[in-house]
Amino acid sequence: MAAGLAVAVLAAGAAALWSTLADGDDGGRDGAQGQSASAPADEATDPAAPEPGTEGADVSDATGEAPSDEAATPDGSPPPGYVALDDAEGFRIAVPEEWSERSAETGGVFYRTTGGAELIQVFRVAEPGATALGSVRRASEERSGAAGFEEVAVGSVDNPLGGEAAELVYAYDHEESGGRRRVVERVFTASDDRLYAVLVAAPESQWPRHEEILDVAVTHFEPYGSPF
C-alpha cells in the first residue's frame, strides 16, 4: 500500500494492531535507514475480537514505573540507543536503533524488531470530536471480546508536548510470543493540535523497558505537512 493513508481513526488502528500481532512478521518492508524511512506495504488481516477487561486503574501504577525523565538529552536529541527518523508519512519520531523494520499498513505506520516480537504503531485519531481519554476508553470497549484480553489501566497522563494525553494499558495471550503480550496505547495532542496514537507492544517479560520506549517516541514525535 502506498504511503498516504486516507484516514486512521482509533478503531482502525486498534484492529490492525490486533491482526498484525496475531499474524507476526509479514515481510515486504523497507528498513528505516539513517535519518529517513521509506514506505511499503502489506495489508493487515481481520483482527480477533477481544474479551472484557477491568477499568479505572491508575496508569502509572499499572506500568510499574513513572514515565521516564530521560526521554530527551539536554540538546533535545534522543537518548543513547535511539535514533530520530523522518517518516515518509510526514512525521518525525524516535525509535530504538534496533527497531529497523518499517511498514505502512491499514492501521498506520509500524516499526518492528526483526521478527516482529516488539513493535511501535503510529496513527492519527481522526474521528470528529474525539478526545484523548474518550479515545482510549472506546478502544478498550472495542477490544472487549477476545480471549485473554485484560485491561490493566486506563486514564489521563501528562503530555510532554502540551495538551491532553491518555493511556490504555492492556495484555492478552499471544502464542507466537510464548505467552502474554502487553500493550500501552497513548493518545495525545501533537504540535499541530491534532490527536495521534502511539502504541508499544512486546512480550510481557520484556517490560517495563517499553514504557521508556513509548515516552521517547512521544517526546520526539513531530508532525509536519499533514500526516495520514
Side-chain angles (χ1 to χ4, degrees):
M1 177 178 295
L5 305 171
V7 175
V9 297
L10 193 62
L17 176 68
W18 273 93
S19 173
T20 302
L21 296 182
D23 294 343
D25 186 28
D26 54 2
R29 286 180 291 273
D30 294 339
Q33 304 292 336
Q35 295 299 307
S36 64
S38 56
D42 289 335
E43 183 132 344
T45 56
D46 292 338
E51 192 175 323
T54 58
E55 179 171 351
D58 180 76
V59 173
S60 61
D61 289 345
T63 57
E65 61 176 26
S68 171
D69 57 0
E70 299 180 353
T73 58
D75 65 358
S77 61
Y82 293 84
V83 59
L85 301 174
D86 288 328
D87 193 273
E89 202 59 67
F91 61 84
R92 180 173 293 111
I93 193 169
V95 304
E97 291 176 343
E98 67 271 23
W99 295 38
S100 59
E101 295 193 13
R102 185 266 191 200
S103 63
E105 302 172 15
T106 300
V109 172
F110 293 79
Y111 290 91
R112 295 175 172 86
T113 54
T114 301
E118 303 164 84
L119 62 80
I120 294 172
Q121 180 188 11
V122 185
F123 58 95
R124 186 164 73 88
V125 181
E127 185 180 11
T131 65
L133 184 57
S135 294
V136 295
R137 284 177 172 166
R138 179 177 173 183
S140 183
E141 292 172 0
E142 289 171 347
R143 291 163 172 73
S144 62
F149 176 81
E150 173 196 3
E151 180 188 277
V152 178
V154 62
S156 298
V157 295
D158 291 337
N159 184 352
L161 307 177
E164 61 175 325
E167 274 188 7
L168 167 65
V169 184
Y170 63 94
Y172 66 100
D173 296 331
H174 189 252
E175 184 176 347
E176 289 79 2
S177 295
R180 299 285 287 173
R181 181 183 288 271
R182 181 169 289 212
V183 179
V184 178
E185 174 177 340
R186 186 179 300 176
V187 176
F188 60 95
T189 306
S191 60
D192 60 358
D193 295 322
R194 302 197 298 178
L195 285 178
Y196 294 86
V198 174
L199 297 85
V200 175
E204 204 162 45
S205 61
Q206 299 297 319
W207 292 83
R209 178 188 176 231
H210 292 76
E211 185 70 18
E212 174 194 287
I213 290 173
L214 179 67
D215 288 335
V216 172
V218 171
T219 298
H220 294 274
F221 182 84
E222 180 65 31
Y224 49 86
S226 182
F228 305 106

